[in-house]
Amino acid sequence: MDGIPQLESGHLNSNSSSKTMKRDDYLEWPEYFMAVAFLSAQRSKDPNSQVGACIVNQENKIVGIGYNGMPNGCDDDLLPWSRSADNPLDNKYLYVCHAELNAIMNKNSADVKGCTMYVALFPCNECAKLIIQAGIKEVVYLSDKYHDKPEMTASRRLLSMAGIQCRQFKPKRTEIVIDFTSINHHGILNSK
């Protein structure tokens, strides 16, 4: 069996004196889940705010993903995307579904009770109600840029009363690049 490493005493025995170590620049779980939320946000057609959410269970398994957009079956070309208008019926806020709602509604067959939600923006009061009713126990958010708005004050009040932990995500890196060509790069496994 020349050239094939042998398993001896539970260890891989190789004729090579150099040992290949695992990567140390891999994504840790929180970065991975927030990145999934941000990737999901890329599906949003909203010209101003692209928000994504990712729900994760205690075993680090993703059980739901969502992004902000118009309700299913409603033509998003016929609904407004404006942030402001003289007539409230002509702005997006009365129509759009937030990422948190969609992540809860898009859940797989697993229950979201006791799960953690990773979301780009701190949830509004309407999403806080959904999060509470769904039984989510923790919210990890990146930005709280609307902190002083009444909707966010109400949200914090509701989430606190329900005993839901909220914490701001502190990224270790500012960007994660997805390179679709990287799969074709020759690495150690492909080299001969």
Side-chain angles (χ1 to χ4, degrees), residues 40-113:
S40 177
Q42 295 304 302
R43 283 282 308 142
S44 175
K45 296 178 184 176
D46 191 319
N48 298 300
S49 302
Q50 299 83 46
V51 180
C54 177
I55 302 172
V56 181
N57 69 14
Q58 298 86 343
E59 298 165 347
N60 287 327
K61 293 180 180 169
I62 295 173
V63 297
I65 299 173
Y67 56 89
N68 59 313
M70 296 301 176
N72 290 337
C74 297
D75 188 340
D76 56 25
D77 288 326
L78 301 178
L79 292 170
W81 287 103
S82 175
R83 295 178 80 155
S84 62
D86 291 335
N87 182 348
L89 292 173
D90 292 332
N91 75 47
K92 68 181 178 177
Y93 296 111
L94 295 179
Y95 307 101
V96 75
C97 296
H98 287 184
E100 298 92 331
L101 176 142
N102 281 327
I104 292 168
M105 296 303 297
N106 293 340
K107 72 179 183 68
N108 62 20
S109 60
D111 193 0
V112 296
K113 189 175 179 109

Side-chain angles (χ1 to χ4, degrees), residues 3 6 14 19 21 33 65 87 90 94 96 100 112 117 140 151 158 175 178:
Q6 298 297 310
S14 174
K19 181 178 177 187
M21 302 299 290
F33 298 133
I65 299 173
N87 182 348
D90 292 332
L94 295 179
V96 75
E100 298 92 331
V112 296
M117 177 180 282
V140 179
E151 297 91 335
L158 288 168
E175 66 179 25
I178 298 174

Side-chain angles (χ1 to χ4, degrees), residues 153-167:
T153 301
S155 176
R156 283 190 300 280
R157 186 178 295 169
L158 288 168
L159 293 168
S160 176
M161 289 175 76
I164 295 173
Q165 298 294 317
C166 295
R167 65 182 165 92

